[in-house]
Structure formats: structure tokens, C-alpha cells
Amino acid sequence: MGNIFSCCKCKCGSSFKKCWSPNEGKSADISLPPAHLSANSIDQLDSPGDGGDVLTVRHVDLCLEQNGTDHRTRRFELMQRDAVPGESAQLVVRRGQAFRLKIACHRPFDRSRDSLSFAFTIHDETRPGHTHGSALKFRETDLGDVHEWGAAVSKISGDILEVLVKAPASAPVTFWRVDIDTRLNSGGSRVFTFRHPIAILFNPWCPDDDVYMPDTHLLEEYVLSDATLIWRGSYNRLRPSVWKLGQFDRYVLECALLVIAEVGKVSGIHRGNAIRVSRALSAAVNSPDDDGVVLGNWSEDFSGGTAPTKWVGSVEILQKFYKKRKPVKFGQCWIFAGVLTTIARALGIPSRIITNYASAHDTHSSMTVDYFVNEEGKVMEELNSDSIWNYHVWNEVWMDRSDLGYGAAGSYGGWQVVDATPQELSDQMYRCGPTPVKAVKMGEITKPYDCDFVYSEVNADKLFWRYAGVNQPLKLIRKDTLGIGHFISTKAVGEWKREDITKSYKFDEKSNEERATMLKALRQANSVYSRYYLNEDFNDVHFNFELRDDIVIGQNFTVVLEVTNRSTSKSHRVEGSLHIDTVLYTGKNREQIKVVHFERELKPGATEIVRDEVQFSEYYGKLLDQSAFNISCLASVKDTDYDYFAQDDFRVRKPDIKISFQGTPVSRETVSVIIRLKNPLPMPLKKGVFHVEGTGLDGALEFKIAEVPVDGTAAATFKYIPPFAGRGTLAAKFTSKELDDVDGFLAFEIQPRPEDLINGHHPRMNEVVARRDVIP
């Protein structure tokens, strides 16, 4: 390793080499030297220059409880692992903030004759070097400013030396190997090596960190909360489901750091750059390019893996990936988003999950979503590369964007879109972001990264073209400027309800600002579709679908189409067809249920109704994943060349699983939990399974239900021990041969035990340790 560890402050110029291998444990102790080092080489490295009185480190106390409280990291299972026989805890701290070590030596530390240095090396670097920051050494002198590595003695109590150590606010986020070099000023040295590396994370509580978030109330939600809500369904049936993030659970942090390094291939020195890390994560969480964490599957065949609708959280997925290093089967958009949020929060990057209803997938960068239909009104799947998803789920991560400077709306820092769902290539990989939300709202589609794609997702216009053959011109038969980007949703801070953040992405529909922004984006787009669209005029016959907003699976439902003649002077005769299809939530793989043909006379200003009832027996056997439907209509006005096309999406509602306690949940005390589900179908449910995860459960619980009769209720009960006082969640899934993607959750407060109140420990705020904490 040469002189890469040369001390830059003391100018001693000596190399720093490993010679001790401490015992495994929460605290580090000196043990016999590694077998691969000869006795001669050890003596040469450690031979003291004054007869053997070089300060010897006997033991290092990692101060896990105090550091965990100060750095908001004590909930990491890695910090508590010494409670497991045969395993050892590891220190997890945040950059830009000092952490404390208690070093037991064989005699008192004497500054007049002793010097103390620390060496930090990125643990997986094959060629660590001081010049590029993957290996460094610094003396115990002072903490330095927030941009420097530093260490300082805070207290000396006999042979116990208390030291504060600080990584700079820009330090790489990774595991670091730590060595302590003790040296006599007259010559001679010893080296003590920590048996286990320590983890240094992003610090959103530190004002000098790029991920700094000033509101600590928000940090409780976006970094420390280990459960959240994800909205799915459709814009006319918003459906929340709970997702266990579990960023503090076993092996999750190790997996998060592994994903950055080995899958995302972020070099050690760049792992402190939030922009690079988040962009790498958007590629590494999916698998097409790099055998990342989750394998996507939008088919109906999930054999060989787990159907996306059966996952309840990220923990099992990340633990499987960490163990096998192979993509976990299977995921769809909300799975990718849930996993990425877990990784981001584990690393210390504030993150939240976003759902965009009626989300555009624009493959041409045209700022429009283009659909092609034939003369009978049937959507031509073979020509449609664009699509509209009932909903799409992505992430926002919080960080500064000093790389982008300032624009019309000010800084581009704040929330950034990061999307791990593999939709389109970005710089030759399936990834998206980080995209400044502010740039999306302002229509600045050239801003990095992928702003044009995200803008289309929330604000594209829908265009419908009639295709009459290869040698016939396309006819633009409808535009819809209001159909994309509805009810953009995330979990509210501190509450189990929805927060609508649509206005952070787009101006109000029909406002002058919204149209001006759209026109600016269209003019920047290089697409024949968008250029033609800008110069096209349209008629104004209006179609509207009326759907009940609470259609329960198992019931019949009625589709009502209103056709309105907006002309005040002229009648029109309209003929057309109404198509009712099942479809994936991505808008693909449609299957026809029925077609209804109609003909109506429209008086000036009149509205005509087309109505059809769909029976359960007609749609049940054709339901696709997540029970989504698409209804569409193509109509022609006789004696004119005017055609009109309209469509809408909806899904049937599935019942909720009810979760209740028999008693009050109290920290570390047993309470019974009951889960129930009523059968909504006119047929029995066979081979049912409840799948339960939640706060404090080491793994998923499963309860098998042989059969649930018509109008019957499935139920299961189990004993639960809440691990701590505070907020908790339980989430359940139910699957059977006849019914799947049924879920439910319960958010609750865990009460403290009386003895916890008497001897309660109140976590301190994460403050950067001041210079007054060190002694000369």
C-alpha cells in the first residue's frame, strides 16, 4: 500500500500498515497477529523505539447507545447485533457529525510523548489511495471544519481516552475500515485495527450535507419512518396499501451499501455524491442492465417467483437479494419504488413514494401520448408504443442541485424524481432521474436528468389518430388536454392519509400558465406528432363516461356514456361503438369483454345516453392483474368527415382486510391480533393464505385458510409483541385461487410500559458536536 497512509498533518512520512486483528465483538480487543504475517515482520512493524512503552490500545468501546442516539442510527439492527450469540454489532454513524469512541490503553495518554492518528479506508477498494480520498490518515488534533476529517480528545480518565471523530459532510457513504496508530514522539509505533468496518451514512440533519432537510418533522417521516402508504387503483378509485420499508431491519443496510457499490458500480470516492448515488439506484433496483435487485414482470405468468401483488414490503426482497445476489422475482412499478425508498432511507437520503394517476408513457419524447384506432374503434395494440397507465409509482429524493444553478423558479434543489421502473433507456441504461420537480413544473424539459420523460408522465396531451391503412393519411380524431396526470399522491407527514402534491408538478388545468408551459415543452420536443398537433383544429362534440366510484368485485356494473352536441344550431346523427375491455394497469394486454353498437340523433345542445350492464359472469374470467378495465368509444357524425374517440379507465374495488387488537398494544408485552376478510364473490374462496408483516416482526407470518364460503369470513389470530413505544403498523395480504391482491393495514400507537416512563430515555436531537467538546 506504499505511503498512501502518510500522515498529512504531522509530516512523519511513515507508512501505516495493518498488524493487529482484534477479536470479534461490540468492543475491539487486541488479539494475536494474523497467521499470514511472520513474526519478524510483526516485530519490525511494532517494535517501539524507546524500549517498548509505545501506547498500546487494549480495547475500544464503540459507544453504540450514545452514538446511535446522537446520530439517529440506534434502530439499525446492525447496531444491536451483539445481542445475538456469536454475532457482533457494528457502528453506524452519519457524516458531518462527530461520533465518540472510548479507547482503553495500557497506560494514560500523555500528549507530551504520545501521538494518536486514525486511518480510514473504504473497505472494498482494491487500490485505496490518499490522492482520491478512498484512504486517508489524520492526527488527533482537532475536529476541523465540517468539510474535513478530524479527531480530538474530549476526556482523559486514567487509561481511558475519550475521542471524538468526524467524517466530513461530503464523505463517501460506505463501510470504512478503521485503524488507530499510536506513536511515541521519540520513535516507535503500534497499530490497532477494528475487526469490523463502520458505516458512514448521509446526514440530512447536517446543514452542510447535500441532502440536508431543515424541517426535523419531515425527517421523522422521510428518513426514520419504516412504513408508508402506496396509492394504486385508478384516478376514479384511489386505493392505498401499506408498505413495510424496514430500512433498519437485518441485512437491509448492508444490502443498500452493496447495491451502490457492486450493482450500481459507484466508485468509492463518488458514493458521497447524492446525485450519482440516486441515479445509480434508479438503474440498480431494476435488473435488465445489471442483474439488479428486482426483476420486472408485467405478464400474467408469475411462476418461479412471487406475484407483485403479494409483496407487503421491501425487507424480504432485499434480504433475498443480499443472500443470493440474484434479481428477486417479481416486481412492478410500486415494488421498485418501495425498494428504492427503503434503500434511500437506509442510506440517509430523504425519500417518499409518489403515485401519478393516468400516467403517460411517452416513447417518442413528443410530449404527447399517441393512440391509433381502426375504423371500427378498436385500439390497435400493434401500432401503439405509447400508453397510459392507470397509475404509475416512482420516488422523490431530497437533495441540493448545485450542478444546475438557478432558473426562473430559483434553485433546482429540493425534491427530485427518481424512477427505478425500467420503462425507457436513459444514457443507454434503464434508469430515470434525478429530475428536479421544479423543472418539470416549469416545462424545462432539457434539464438533466430525463425531465422530458417525467414532464410527459404528468402533463402530456392525449392524441387519438384514426388509421385507415398503410397508404392512407392519419386522421387526428381527438385531443384530450386534461387526461394525464391526476391526483399526484404521497403519504401525508405524520398521518395515515393522502397528500395531494399535483400542484408541485403542474399548474392548474385550463389555466393560462398550464397551456403556456405545455406549448413551451412542445416547441422543444423534436417530434412530428407534436408539430402537427400544434397546428390542428378540433371539433367539440363531447363524450363523457359515467361510472360508479364504488364498484365491488363480485357485483355487476353499468357503463353509461353521455354524448353531448355542443352546437346551438345544428343537429347531428351519431353512430358508433362502445368497447369494454379488461386491461393491465399499464394500459397494455387488453382483452375484449363486449362491444355495444349504437346510433343516436343529437338535437342542438342535447345529450343522449348509451347504457350497458356488464354481468359478473361476463368479466370475471377475463380479469387481468389488478382488475383494471378500459372503456372506449369511436363515433362518426353522418354527412360529415368528423370522427370522435374517447376512453376512460377504472377498476373494481376489492374488500379490505380488517386488523384489530384484543387489548392495547404496549411495548414488549404480548397482545392478540385478529385479521378478518369477508368473501365478496358469489363463489367459495379456496386455498386462501393470509400474509402478515409489521413493526417488530422478524419475518412474514402466514396463515392458511382452506375455504371461505359465500358471504363467509376468513379469520386468523396471532400473538404479537410490540418492540418499542411509538408508532407501529401491521399489514396483511390475502390470496386464493379465486381472489388475490386483497390487503389491509392498521396504524397504531404502541404505549410505553410504566417502567419505561419512570426510567425513560429521551433521544437527543442530532446536533453537530461543537468544538467546545474537545480538550487541548
Side-chain angles (χ1 to χ4, degrees):
M1 298 170 67
N3 64 355
I4 60 173
F5 292 112
S6 296
C7 177
C8 59
K9 292 188 177 180
C10 69
K11 306 292 191 275
C12 63
S14 62
S15 63
F16 191 20
K17 300 180 181 179
K18 177 178 178 180
C19 64
W20 296 110
S21 180
N23 291 324
E24 196 171 327
K26 161 182 165 182
S27 304
D29 294 298
I30 292 178
S31 66
L32 294 175
H36 67 275
L37 294 178
S38 69
N40 290 336
S41 68
I42 295 168
D43 291 339
Q44 180 181 2
L45 289 170
D46 285 341
S47 132
D50 67 344
D53 201 29
V54 176
L55 189 71
T56 300
V57 175
R58 295 186 182 279
H59 176 90
V60 174
D61 182 351
L62 301 175
C63 304
L64 292 173
E65 183 174 353
Q66 183 173 358
N67 286 326
T69 299
D70 292 343
H71 287 250
R72 307 273 181 153
T73 57
R74 63 191 178 95
R75 289 177 61 190
F76 280 105
E77 185 272 341
L78 191 59
M79 290 275 281
Q80 304 168 15
R81 199 167 289 174
D82 57 338
V84 180
E87 297 193 359
S88 302
Q90 291 177 246
L91 184 61
V92 181
V93 294
R94 301 188 188 276
R95 63 188 192 177
Q97 177 181 342
F99 61 91
R100 191 174 300 272
L101 300 173
K102 292 182 180 179
I103 305 173
C105 305
H106 84 294
R107 62 170 173 78
F109 176 78
D110 182 354
R111 195 180 295 279
S112 66
R113 61 190 296 226
D114 299 317
S115 63
L116 187 71
S117 300
F118 290 86
F120 280 69
T121 310
I122 294 177
H123 82 296
D124 61 345
E125 282 286 330
T126 56
R127 299 180 63 185
H130 177 78
T131 55
H132 54 73
S134 60
L136 50 116
K137 183 179 178 183
F138 51 94
R139 286 190 60 186
E140 174 281 312
T141 53
D142 59 61
L143 288 177
D145 68 31
V146 74
H147 302 292
E148 297 177 336
W149 291 86
V153 174
S154 63
K155 185 178 181 180
I156 300 175
S157 301
D159 59 359
I160 303 296
L161 188 64
E162 292 192 28
V163 179
L164 297 173
V165 182
K166 177 185 58 60
S170 58
V173 171
T174 188
F175 280 116
W176 291 83
R177 191 177 76 241
V178 183
D179 301 286
I180 301 176
D181 182 13
T182 56
R183 185 178 300 274
L184 281 174
N185 295 335
S186 58
S189 65
R190 288 189 185 277
V191 177
F192 178 86
T193 300
F194 286 33
R195 176 63 178 269
H196 298 292
I198 71 171
I200 297 178
L201 309 181
F202 289 99
N203 191 351
W205 285 269
C206 175
D208 295 281
D209 198 305
D210 284 343
V211 300
Y212 173 62
M213 178 176 271
D215 190 331
T216 56
H217 183 55
L218 298 182
L219 288 168
E220 289 288 334
E221 180 71 45
Y222 298 135
V223 178
L224 300 180
S225 180
D226 65 353
T228 190
L229 292 175
I230 302 177
W231 265 264
R232 296 192 288 137
S234 61
Y235 78 93
N236 46 26
R237 181 62 191 172
L238 280 58
R239 175 194 175 193
S241 57
V242 76
W243 186 262
K244 182 185 176 184
L245 296 166
Q247 67 267 36
F248 303 112
D249 284 23
R250 188 173 179 85
Y251 298 134
V252 170
L253 178 58
E254 295 97 314
C255 187
L257 294 171
L258 170 84
V259 168
I260 295 175
E262 295 189 13
V263 184
K265 305 247 186 290
V266 181
S267 62
I269 189 59
H270 291 125
R271 291 176 204 165
N273 185 313
I275 298 171
R276 289 194 183 216
V277 167
S278 60
R279 184 154 174 80
L281 287 179
S282 75
V285 169
N286 63 58
S287 63
D289 309 302
D290 46 24
D291 290 329
V293 179
V294 179
L295 177 64
N297 184 347
W298 283 267
S299 74
E300 288 291 295
D301 181 8
F302 302 114
S303 57
T306 300
T309 54
K310 293 184 179 180
W311 295 114
V312 183
S314 306
V315 176
E316 186 178 357
I317 294 172
L318 290 169
Q319 288 174 343
K320 283 185 175 182
F321 182 79
Y322 185 67
K323 180 180 179 180
K324 297 184 177 180
R325 304 294 202 272
K326 293 181 180 180
V328 178
K329 302 174 182 178
F330 296 101
Q332 294 177 3
C333 66
W334 73 96
I335 310 295
F336 293 111
V339 170
L340 197 151
T341 294
T342 297
I343 294 175
R345 291 190 186 183
L347 298 175
I349 303 174
S351 177
R352 61 186 184 181
I353 298 175
I354 309 300
T355 299
N356 177 42
Y357 287 98
S359 186
H361 181 177
D362 174 17
T363 59
H364 303 104
S365 297
S366 62
M367 306 302 109
T368 60
V369 177
D370 302 283
Y371 276 96
F372 301 89
V373 298
N374 63 20
E375 294 183 329
E376 286 73 44
K378 184 178 179 180
V379 174
M380 305 183 69
E381 293 278 4
E382 66 276 17
L383 296 182
N384 293 336
S385 57
D386 292 348
S387 59
I388 301 171
W389 297 31
N390 281 0
Y391 65 91
H392 181 47
V393 184
W394 61 69
N395 296 90
E396 286 179 356
V397 292
W398 180 276
M399 66 185 67
D400 186 31
R401 288 301 300 268
S402 57
D403 59 313
L404 298 182
Y406 289 83
S411 167
Y412 291 101
W415 289 117
Q416 314 286 316
V417 172
V418 179
D419 191 349
T421 300
Q423 291 181 289
E424 296 294 322
L425 292 171
S426 174
D427 297 331
Q428 305 307 309
M429 294 186 72
Y430 282 103
R431 57 186 169 186
C432 181
T435 306
V437 174
K438 288 183 180 178
V440 174
K441 182 170 184 175
M442 301 306 296
E444 298 180 12
I445 65 172
T446 61
K447 293 294 182 185
Y449 295 89
D450 310 305
C451 194
D452 54 346
F453 185 78
V454 178
Y455 181 88
S456 286
E457 287 184 299
V458 300
N459 214 23
D461 287 345
K462 291 197 287 187
L463 304 184
F464 298 95
W465 308 82
R466 190 180 69 181
Y467 178 81
V470 176
N471 298 319
Q472 300 299 316
L474 292 172
K475 181 178 182 181
L476 188 54
I477 55 177
R478 175 171 166 78
K479 72 168 182 178
D480 182 356
T481 63
L482 308 176
I484 298 295
H486 297 299
F487 302 112
I488 303 178
S489 305
T490 191
K491 179 186 176 296
V493 176
E495 298 181 277
W496 292 91
K497 64 181 185 180
R498 189 180 74 92
E499 178 184 354
D500 193 297
I501 59 169
T502 306
K503 288 187 177 180
S504 68
Y505 280 86
K506 57 197 294 188
F507 293 102
D508 290 339
E509 297 288 4
K510 300 183 181 179
S511 67
N512 293 333
E513 294 90 345
E514 190 276 333
R515 278 295 92 187
T517 302
M518 182 63 185
L519 291 175
K520 178 170 71 173
L522 283 166
R523 291 187 180 103
Q524 295 177 72
N526 184 25
S527 169
V528 65
Y529 296 122
S530 57
R531 289 198 298 272
Y532 178 30
Y533 164 53
L534 284 171
N535 298 312
E536 186 67 20
D537 293 326
F538 296 88
N539 272 314
D540 60 355
V541 172
H542 182 66
F543 286 74
N544 181 55
F545 292 108
E546 282 191 356
L547 295 169
R548 288 171 47 198
D549 60 2
D550 191 23
I551 302 170
V552 179
I553 191 169
Q555 298 178 351
N556 304 335
F557 64 88
T558 301
V559 177
V560 178
L561 174 67
E562 290 185 349
V563 187
T564 301
N565 182 5
R566 290 177 172 175
S567 172
T568 59
S569 59
K570 188 175 180 180
S571 296
H572 290 292
R573 190 164 189 82
V574 177
E575 62 179 18
S577 55
L578 178 66
H579 297 255
I580 304 168
D581 304 322
T582 57
V583 66
L584 290 178
Y585 82 100
T586 60
K588 296 290 188 179
N589 295 6
R590 65 184 62 235
E591 183 173 352
Q592 181 177 293
I593 296 175
K594 63 195 310 185
V595 178
V596 179
H597 297 278
F598 64 89
E599 187 171 348
R600 296 290 190 277
E601 180 74 26
L602 290 172
K603 302 294 184 182
T607 297
E608 291 289 330
I609 302 295
V610 179
R611 185 189 309 269
D612 188 73
E613 183 176 45
V614 181
Q615 303 290 322
F616 171 75
S617 59
E618 291 180 296
Y619 71 77
Y620 176 72
K622 297 182 179 180
L623 282 178
L624 300 177
D625 185 39
Q626 302 187 54
S627 304
F629 294 83
N630 178 269
I631 52 176
S632 60
C633 172
L634 177 65
S636 300
V637 181
K638 287 197 170 183
D639 301 323
T640 73
D641 62 353
Y642 173 52
D643 294 318
Y644 200 92
F645 185 82
Q647 68 170 10
D648 201 358
D649 302 293
F650 72 100
R651 57 166 293 165
V652 292
R653 180 172 69 83
K654 295 182 178 180
D656 296 325
I657 297 171
K658 305 298 183 184
I659 306 174
S660 60
F661 289 107
Q662 286 188 311
T664 301
V666 177
S667 172
R668 289 177 281 176
E669 293 186 2
T670 301
V671 64
S672 293
V673 181
I674 301 176
I675 52 178
R676 297 183 178 92
L677 173 70
K678 185 175 181 179
N679 180 6
L681 300 184
M683 62 180 68
L685 306 180
K686 297 179 181 180
K687 296 183 178 180
V689 178
F690 281 114
H691 182 102
V692 182
E693 292 190 16
T695 304
L697 295 179
D698 292 335
L701 305 178
E702 287 194 349
F703 305 95
K704 295 182 179 180
I705 309 294
E707 182 172 319
V708 186
V710 177
D711 292 326
T713 298
T717 183
F718 63 94
K719 301 296 184 182
Y720 172 58
I721 303 176
F724 50 75
R727 292 191 300 174
T729 58
L730 290 173
K733 286 272 188 182
F734 178 85
T735 59
S736 70
K737 293 177 63 177
E738 298 76 20
L739 183 68
D740 64 1
D741 195 20
V742 177
D743 53 26
F745 74 92
L746 178 66
F748 53 92
E749 283 293 324
I750 304 168
Q751 301 301 313
R753 299 180 302 172
E755 55 265 41
D756 293 334
L757 294 174
I758 295 172
N759 305 311
H761 176 72
H762 300 283
R764 302 187 328 178
M765 294 297 292
N766 274 17
E767 297 174 353
V768 177
V769 179
R771 293 290 294 279
R772 64 176 179 272
D773 290 323
V774 304
I775 63 175

